[in-house]
Amino acid sequence: MALRALHKRLAKMEKARLPKPSPFVLLYGSFDTWVEEHVLPDIEAGKLDATDMVAVVAALRSWETDGTWDRAYAS
């Protein structure tokens, strides 16, 4: 019995250590999919400014790798 409880606890701890998916992954499957399906077409249609969006996409992409989403989930 104690071994099962320990195993469940360990599994829960391991799951908690996994990186949390960003909203882009949850909504679109990946960050790149969001860029390809939403950002680029809107830039081409003139709805978004290309210069501004390069900076926005770069900033958001860095959040994908630097742990920003993990900190956001902690709030």
Side-chain angles (χ1 to χ4, degrees), residues 5-41:
L6 180 60
H7 183 265
K8 278 185 166 181
R9 199 166 164 207
L10 179 60
K12 186 176 178 181
M13 289 170 49
E14 287 175 346
K15 184 178 179 183
R17 289 181 50 189
L18 293 174
K20 305 295 186 272
S22 73
F24 298 101
V25 171
L26 294 174
L27 294 171
Y28 304 104
S30 74
F31 186 82
D32 291 334
T33 299
W34 172 71
V35 171
E36 291 171 12
E37 293 181 0
H38 297 278
V39 176
L40 294 178

Short mmCIF file of all heavy atoms in Angstrom, two decimals, residues 5-41:
data_model
loop_
_atom_site.label_atom_id
_atom_site.label_comp_id
_atom_site.label_asym_id
_atom_site.label_seq_id
_atom_site.Cartn_x
_atom_site.Cartn_y
_atom_site.Cartn_z
N ALA A 5 1.23 4.49 -2.90
CA ALA A 5 1.10 5.90 -2.55
C ALA A 5 2.36 6.66 -2.94
O ALA A 5 2.29 7.78 -3.46
CB ALA A 5 0.82 6.05 -1.06
N LEU A 6 3.50 6.06 -2.70
CA LEU A 6 4.77 6.69 -3.07
C LEU A 6 4.87 6.85 -4.58
O LEU A 6 5.30 7.89 -5.08
CB LEU A 6 5.94 5.86 -2.53
CG LEU A 6 7.33 6.39 -2.83
CD1 LEU A 6 7.50 7.78 -2.22
CD2 LEU A 6 8.39 5.45 -2.28
N HIS A 7 4.44 5.83 -5.32
CA HIS A 7 4.48 5.90 -6.77
C HIS A 7 3.57 7.01 -7.29
O HIS A 7 3.94 7.78 -8.19
CB HIS A 7 4.08 4.56 -7.37
CG HIS A 7 4.18 4.54 -8.87
ND1 HIS A 7 3.10 4.80 -9.67
CD2 HIS A 7 5.23 4.35 -9.70
CE1 HIS A 7 3.47 4.76 -10.93
NE2 HIS A 7 4.76 4.48 -10.97
N LYS A 8 2.35 7.12 -6.74
CA LYS A 8 1.43 8.19 -7.15
C LYS A 8 2.02 9.57 -6.86
O LYS A 8 1.92 10.48 -7.67
CB LYS A 8 0.10 8.05 -6.40
CG LYS A 8 -0.83 7.06 -6.99
CD LYS A 8 -2.16 7.12 -6.23
CE LYS A 8 -3.23 6.40 -6.96
NZ LYS A 8 -4.52 6.48 -6.26
N ARG A 9 2.63 9.68 -5.71
CA ARG A 9 3.22 10.96 -5.32
C ARG A 9 4.37 11.32 -6.26
O ARG A 9 4.51 12.47 -6.68
CB ARG A 9 3.72 10.85 -3.88
CG ARG A 9 3.93 12.14 -3.22
CD ARG A 9 4.08 11.94 -1.73
NE ARG A 9 4.65 13.14 -1.19
CZ ARG A 9 5.36 13.20 -0.11
NH1 ARG A 9 5.59 12.13 0.59
NH2 ARG A 9 5.84 14.34 0.30
N LEU A 10 5.21 10.35 -6.59
CA LEU A 10 6.32 10.58 -7.50
C LEU A 10 5.82 10.98 -8.88
O LEU A 10 6.34 11.91 -9.50
CB LEU A 10 7.20 9.33 -7.59
CG LEU A 10 8.40 9.41 -8.53
CD1 LEU A 10 9.33 10.53 -8.10
CD2 LEU A 10 9.14 8.10 -8.55
N ALA A 11 4.79 10.31 -9.37
CA ALA A 11 4.23 10.64 -10.68
C ALA A 11 3.69 12.06 -10.69
O ALA A 11 3.87 12.80 -11.67
CB ALA A 11 3.13 9.64 -11.05
N LYS A 12 3.04 12.46 -9.61
CA LYS A 12 2.51 13.82 -9.51
C LYS A 12 3.64 14.85 -9.51
O LYS A 12 3.55 15.89 -10.16
CB LYS A 12 1.68 13.95 -8.23
CG LYS A 12 0.97 15.25 -8.09
CD LYS A 12 0.10 15.26 -6.84
CE LYS A 12 -0.59 16.58 -6.67
NZ LYS A 12 -1.41 16.61 -5.44
N MET A 13 4.71 14.57 -8.81
CA MET A 13 5.86 15.48 -8.77
C MET A 13 6.52 15.59 -10.14
O MET A 13 6.90 16.68 -10.56
CB MET A 13 6.88 15.01 -7.72
CG MET A 13 6.39 15.20 -6.31
SD MET A 13 7.41 14.40 -5.03
CE MET A 13 9.04 14.89 -5.43
N GLU A 14 6.64 14.47 -10.84
CA GLU A 14 7.24 14.50 -12.17
C GLU A 14 6.38 15.30 -13.15
O GLU A 14 6.89 16.06 -13.96
CB GLU A 14 7.45 13.08 -12.68
CG GLU A 14 8.59 12.36 -11.99
CD GLU A 14 8.71 10.92 -12.41
OE1 GLU A 14 7.78 10.37 -13.04
OE2 GLU A 14 9.76 10.32 -12.09
N LYS A 15 5.06 15.15 -13.05
CA LYS A 15 4.17 15.89 -13.93
C LYS A 15 4.26 17.39 -13.65
O LYS A 15 4.23 18.21 -14.57
CB LYS A 15 2.73 15.41 -13.73
CG LYS A 15 1.76 16.06 -14.68
CD LYS A 15 0.36 15.52 -14.50
CE LYS A 15 -0.59 16.20 -15.45
NZ LYS A 15 -1.96 15.76 -15.26
N ALA A 16 4.40 17.76 -12.39
CA ALA A 16 4.49 19.18 -12.02
C ALA A 16 5.76 19.82 -12.57
O ALA A 16 5.79 21.03 -12.80
CB ALA A 16 4.43 19.32 -10.50
N ARG A 17 6.80 19.04 -12.80
CA ARG A 17 8.06 19.57 -13.30
C ARG A 17 8.06 19.80 -14.80
O ARG A 17 8.92 20.49 -15.33
CB ARG A 17 9.21 18.62 -12.94
CG ARG A 17 9.54 18.62 -11.48
CD ARG A 17 10.67 17.71 -11.16
NE ARG A 17 11.80 17.95 -12.04
CZ ARG A 17 12.87 17.19 -12.11
NH1 ARG A 17 12.96 16.13 -11.35
NH2 ARG A 17 13.85 17.47 -12.93
N LEU A 18 7.09 19.23 -15.51
CA LEU A 18 7.03 19.41 -16.96
C LEU A 18 6.70 20.86 -17.28
O LEU A 18 5.93 21.51 -16.57
CB LEU A 18 5.95 18.50 -17.56
CG LEU A 18 6.21 17.00 -17.49
CD1 LEU A 18 4.99 16.25 -18.00
CD2 LEU A 18 7.44 16.63 -18.29
N PRO A 19 7.27 21.39 -18.36
CA PRO A 19 6.94 22.78 -18.73
C PRO A 19 5.46 22.89 -19.09
O PRO A 19 4.87 21.98 -19.66
CB PRO A 19 7.83 23.05 -19.94
CG PRO A 19 8.37 21.75 -20.38
CD PRO A 19 8.20 20.77 -19.27
N LYS A 20 4.88 24.01 -18.71
CA LYS A 20 3.47 24.25 -19.02
C LYS A 20 3.36 24.75 -20.45
O LYS A 20 4.15 25.56 -20.90
CB LYS A 20 2.90 25.30 -18.06
CG LYS A 20 3.06 24.99 -16.59
CD LYS A 20 2.27 23.78 -16.19
CE LYS A 20 2.29 23.53 -14.71
NZ LYS A 20 3.37 22.74 -14.23
N PRO A 21 2.35 24.27 -21.17
CA PRO A 21 2.18 24.75 -22.55
C PRO A 21 1.71 26.19 -22.56
O PRO A 21 0.93 26.62 -21.71
CB PRO A 21 1.12 23.81 -23.12
CG PRO A 21 0.38 23.30 -21.93
CD PRO A 21 1.37 23.28 -20.80
N SER A 22 2.17 26.92 -23.53
CA SER A 22 1.75 28.32 -23.68
C SER A 22 0.32 28.36 -24.22
O SER A 22 -0.18 27.37 -24.76
CB SER A 22 2.68 29.04 -24.64
OG SER A 22 2.43 28.62 -25.97
N PRO A 23 -0.32 29.51 -24.12
CA PRO A 23 -1.64 29.65 -24.73
C PRO A 23 -1.62 29.37 -26.24
O PRO A 23 -2.60 28.88 -26.78
CB PRO A 23 -2.02 31.10 -24.45
CG PRO A 23 -1.26 31.45 -23.22
CD PRO A 23 0.03 30.69 -23.33
N PHE A 24 -0.51 29.67 -26.90
CA PHE A 24 -0.42 29.42 -28.34
C PHE A 24 -0.46 27.92 -28.63
O PHE A 24 -1.10 27.48 -29.57
CB PHE A 24 0.86 30.03 -28.92
CG PHE A 24 0.90 31.52 -28.78
CD1 PHE A 24 1.64 32.12 -27.78
CD2 PHE A 24 0.17 32.32 -29.63
CE1 PHE A 24 1.66 33.49 -27.63
CE2 PHE A 24 0.17 33.70 -29.48
CZ PHE A 24 0.92 34.29 -28.48
N VAL A 25 0.22 27.15 -27.80
CA VAL A 25 0.21 25.69 -27.97
C VAL A 25 -1.18 25.15 -27.67
O VAL A 25 -1.69 24.29 -28.39
CB VAL A 25 1.28 25.03 -27.07
CG1 VAL A 25 1.14 23.53 -27.07
CG2 VAL A 25 2.67 25.45 -27.52
N LEU A 26 -1.80 25.65 -26.63
CA LEU A 26 -3.14 25.17 -26.26
C LEU A 26 -4.18 25.51 -27.34
O LEU A 26 -5.04 24.69 -27.65
CB LEU A 26 -3.57 25.78 -24.93
CG LEU A 26 -2.77 25.34 -23.70
CD1 LEU A 26 -3.20 26.14 -22.48
CD2 LEU A 26 -2.92 23.85 -23.45
N LEU A 27 -4.10 26.70 -27.89
CA LEU A 27 -5.11 27.14 -28.85
C LEU A 27 -4.84 26.73 -30.30
O LEU A 27 -5.76 26.46 -31.06
CB LEU A 27 -5.26 28.66 -28.80
CG LEU A 27 -5.83 29.22 -27.49
CD1 LEU A 27 -5.73 30.74 -27.47
CD2 LEU A 27 -7.27 28.79 -27.32
N TYR A 28 -3.54 26.71 -30.68
CA TYR A 28 -3.20 26.49 -32.09
C TYR A 28 -2.34 25.26 -32.35
O TYR A 28 -2.05 24.96 -33.49
CB TYR A 28 -2.49 27.73 -32.65
CG TYR A 28 -3.30 28.99 -32.48
CD1 TYR A 28 -2.97 29.92 -31.50
CD2 TYR A 28 -4.42 29.23 -33.27
CE1 TYR A 28 -3.72 31.07 -31.33
CE2 TYR A 28 -5.17 30.38 -33.11
CZ TYR A 28 -4.83 31.30 -32.13
OH TYR A 28 -5.57 32.42 -31.96
N GLY A 29 -1.91 24.59 -31.32
CA GLY A 29 -1.06 23.42 -31.49
C GLY A 29 0.42 23.74 -31.41
O GLY A 29 1.21 22.94 -30.95
N SER A 30 0.80 24.93 -31.87
CA SER A 30 2.19 25.39 -31.75
C SER A 30 2.24 26.89 -32.02
O SER A 30 1.32 27.47 -32.61
CB SER A 30 3.10 24.67 -32.76
OG SER A 30 2.89 25.16 -34.07
N PHE A 31 3.31 27.48 -31.59
CA PHE A 31 3.52 28.91 -31.82
C PHE A 31 3.65 29.19 -33.31
O PHE A 31 3.08 30.14 -33.83
CB PHE A 31 4.78 29.37 -31.06
CG PHE A 31 5.00 30.84 -31.13
CD1 PHE A 31 4.33 31.69 -30.26
CD2 PHE A 31 5.88 31.39 -32.04
CE1 PHE A 31 4.53 33.07 -30.33
CE2 PHE A 31 6.09 32.75 -32.11
CZ PHE A 31 5.41 33.60 -31.24
N ASP A 32 4.40 28.32 -34.00
CA ASP A 32 4.61 28.51 -35.45
C ASP A 32 3.30 28.44 -36.23
O ASP A 32 3.12 29.18 -37.20
CB ASP A 32 5.59 27.47 -35.98
CG ASP A 32 7.01 27.71 -35.48
OD1 ASP A 32 7.33 28.87 -35.16
OD2 ASP A 32 7.78 26.74 -35.38
N THR A 33 2.38 27.59 -35.80
CA THR A 33 1.08 27.51 -36.47
C THR A 33 0.34 28.83 -36.34
O THR A 33 -0.27 29.32 -37.30
CB THR A 33 0.24 26.36 -35.87
OG1 THR A 33 0.93 25.13 -36.08
CG2 THR A 33 -1.14 26.29 -36.51
N TRP A 34 0.38 29.43 -35.14
CA TRP A 34 -0.28 30.73 -34.94
C TRP A 34 0.33 31.78 -35.88
O TRP A 34 -0.42 32.53 -36.52
CB TRP A 34 -0.13 31.16 -33.48
CG TRP A 34 -0.59 32.55 -33.22
CD1 TRP A 34 -1.88 33.01 -33.23
CD2 TRP A 34 0.24 33.68 -32.93
NE1 TRP A 34 -1.90 34.36 -32.96
CE2 TRP A 34 -0.62 34.79 -32.77
CE3 TRP A 34 1.61 33.86 -32.79
CZ2 TRP A 34 -0.13 36.06 -32.47
CZ3 TRP A 34 2.09 35.12 -32.49
CH2 TRP A 34 1.21 36.21 -32.33
N VAL A 35 1.65 31.80 -35.96
CA VAL A 35 2.31 32.78 -36.84
C VAL A 35 1.91 32.55 -38.29
O VAL A 35 1.52 33.49 -39.00
CB VAL A 35 3.85 32.73 -36.68
CG1 VAL A 35 4.53 33.58 -37.73
CG2 VAL A 35 4.25 33.18 -35.28
N GLU A 36 1.97 31.29 -38.73
CA GLU A 36 1.69 30.98 -40.14
C GLU A 36 0.23 31.19 -40.51
O GLU A 36 -0.08 31.64 -41.62
CB GLU A 36 2.09 29.54 -40.44
CG GLU A 36 3.59 29.33 -40.42
CD GLU A 36 3.98 27.86 -40.51
OE1 GLU A 36 3.10 27.02 -40.82
OE2 GLU A 36 5.16 27.56 -40.25
N GLU A 37 -0.69 30.87 -39.60
CA GLU A 37 -2.11 30.92 -39.94
C GLU A 37 -2.79 32.25 -39.61
O GLU A 37 -3.84 32.55 -40.16
CB GLU A 37 -2.87 29.79 -39.24
CG GLU A 37 -2.48 28.42 -39.75
CD GLU A 37 -3.24 27.30 -39.08
OE1 GLU A 37 -4.09 27.57 -38.18
OE2 GLU A 37 -2.99 26.14 -39.42
N HIS A 38 -2.18 33.04 -38.71
CA HIS A 38 -2.85 34.27 -38.30
C HIS A 38 -2.00 35.53 -38.52
O HIS A 38 -2.51 36.51 -39.06
CB HIS A 38 -3.26 34.17 -36.82
CG HIS A 38 -4.27 33.08 -36.60
ND1 HIS A 38 -5.60 33.25 -36.83
CD2 HIS A 38 -4.11 31.79 -36.20
CE1 HIS A 38 -6.24 32.12 -36.58
NE2 HIS A 38 -5.36 31.22 -36.20
N VAL A 39 -0.76 35.48 -38.09
CA VAL A 39 0.07 36.69 -38.17
C VAL A 39 0.46 36.99 -39.61
O VAL A 39 0.22 38.11 -40.10
CB VAL A 39 1.32 36.56 -37.27
CG1 VAL A 39 2.22 37.78 -37.44
CG2 VAL A 39 0.93 36.40 -35.82
N LEU A 40 1.05 36.04 -40.29
CA LEU A 40 1.51 36.31 -41.67
C LEU A 40 0.37 36.70 -42.61
O LEU A 40 0.51 37.68 -43.35
CB LEU A 40 2.28 35.11 -42.21
CG LEU A 40 3.62 34.81 -41.50
CD1 LEU A 40 4.27 33.57 -42.09
CD2 LEU A 40 4.55 36.01 -41.57
N PRO A 41 -0.77 36.01 -42.60
CA PRO A 41 -1.87 36.46 -43.47
C PRO A 41 -2.35 37.87 -43.15
O PRO A 41 -2.68 38.64 -44.06
CB PRO A 41 -2.97 35.43 -43.22
CG PRO A 41 -2.25 34.21 -42.76
CD PRO A 41 -1.08 34.72 -41.97
#
